[in-house]
Amino acid sequence: MTAATDLRPARPGTTDELSGRVVVVAGATGAAGPAVVQRLVASGATVVAAARSASSLQGVVEAANADDVRGEGPGQALAAVVDLSDAGSTSSWATEVAREHGHVDGLVHLVGGWRGGKGITEMDLADWDVLHALLVRTLQHTTRAFHDALRASDDARLAIVSTVQVAHPTATNAAYAAAKAAAEAWTLAVADSFSGSHAAAVVLRIKALLTPAMREQKPDAKFSGYTAVADLAQTVNDLWLTDADDLNGRILCLT
């Protein structure tokens, strides 16, 4: 269950394949958030986009709800300002989302963070505290809060974005790789808890993300091994087009 694979989900066939699905995107204002929210909305999903900053979240939701994204489809993005580092707030919010929509069919955890290092003995272990809070604790809070709703769905997906460094950690990125490894282990444990249901939990490993802004700033750069945020968003979308039994507990490498 924990072996990495290059298997990718199938490509979509229509623009409304996720119609009726309710998908929560945590960390919607991060590098990949806007692209993921827009792609899911374009597929007809109701996307609850969550972040701590109301001002940043407004732009993400407005862009996703633009006519050229939604087209004639039923998809929509809704804003949710919530502190995912607070267990009580996250739990209350999840209960509200499930009550309002009647079901929750997806949780895409994009809450990110990075701290470099100077080696095993030279690093500041305070960096671990920061990364644990961002990458692990928010994942624990959201997956616990939405777990039962996802397991009860007739077709739910949980996805996190991890790093290839988990398989090949370096001394200068020890804290980051360790935090991502912990997040992967937690996600695979959730996958085990989904056994026997129609839900699937998956890990998406990347080297680094490539945003349109990065490409604009360096149009001639190769960005070897980077994953474009649009490609990541497409992969997330396609998770619902593959049977849960074929996905649950998988690690998909997108490099």
Side-chain angles (χ1 to χ4, degrees), residues 52-250:
R52 288 191 297 181
S53 171
S55 57
S56 299
L57 192 56
Q58 181 179 0
V60 173
V61 169
E62 288 180 351
N65 286 333
D67 290 341
D68 59 342
V69 172
R70 294 182 60 182
E72 300 298 325
Q76 64 173 329
L78 305 172
V81 179
V82 58
D83 181 3
L84 300 177
S85 68
D86 183 276
S89 297
T90 304
S91 178
S92 297
W93 166 61
T95 299
E96 180 181 330
V97 171
R99 181 172 58 244
E100 178 178 353
H101 298 283
H103 55 97
V104 180
D105 308 298
L107 171 60
V108 184
H109 188 273
L110 301 177
V111 180
W114 182 81
R115 291 289 189 279
K118 297 180 180 180
I120 299 300
T121 59
E122 299 90 350
M123 75 167 58
D124 184 351
L125 287 180
D127 290 340
W128 164 260
D129 296 333
V130 172
L131 292 169
H132 179 268
L134 288 171
L135 305 180
V136 182
R137 192 61 83 187
T138 61
L139 176 64
Q140 292 173 327
H141 290 168
T142 52
T143 52
R144 283 163 58 91
F146 285 103
H147 178 274
D148 291 352
L150 293 173
R151 203 178 192 288
S153 168
D154 62 3
D155 194 28
R157 302 291 182 268
L158 161 66
I160 71 164
V161 177
S162 187
T163 174
V164 294
Q165 292 181 37
V166 170
H168 303 285
T170 62
T172 54
N173 268 331
Y176 178 70
K180 283 292 191 180
E184 286 196 10
W186 182 269
T187 301
L188 296 176
V190 175
D192 181 65
S193 78
F194 283 167
S195 297
S197 73
H198 298 289
V202 300
V203 173
L204 306 177
R205 279 186 186 171
I206 63 169
K207 174 183 177 181
L209 287 173
L210 176 60
T211 66
M214 292 166 62
R215 173 58 70 192
E216 184 177 352
Q217 291 172 3
K218 297 182 178 181
D220 298 324
K222 292 184 177 181
F223 294 107
S224 178
Y226 282 47
T227 300
V229 292
D231 291 339
L232 174 65
Q234 185 67 58
T235 298
V236 170
N237 179 88
D238 292 352
L239 294 177
W240 279 268
L241 306 182
T242 303
D243 289 342
D245 288 343
D246 294 332
L247 282 176
N248 195 33
R250 304 300 295 271

Side-chain angles (χ1 to χ4, degrees), residues 21-67:
R21 297 297 176 198
V22 177
V23 182
V24 173
V25 176
T29 58
V36 170
V37 172
Q38 288 185 34
R39 184 64 190 89
L40 295 175
V41 167
S43 291
T46 295
V47 180
V48 183
R52 288 191 297 181
S53 171
S55 57
S56 299
L57 192 56
Q58 181 179 0
V60 173
V61 169
E62 288 180 351
N65 286 333
D67 290 341

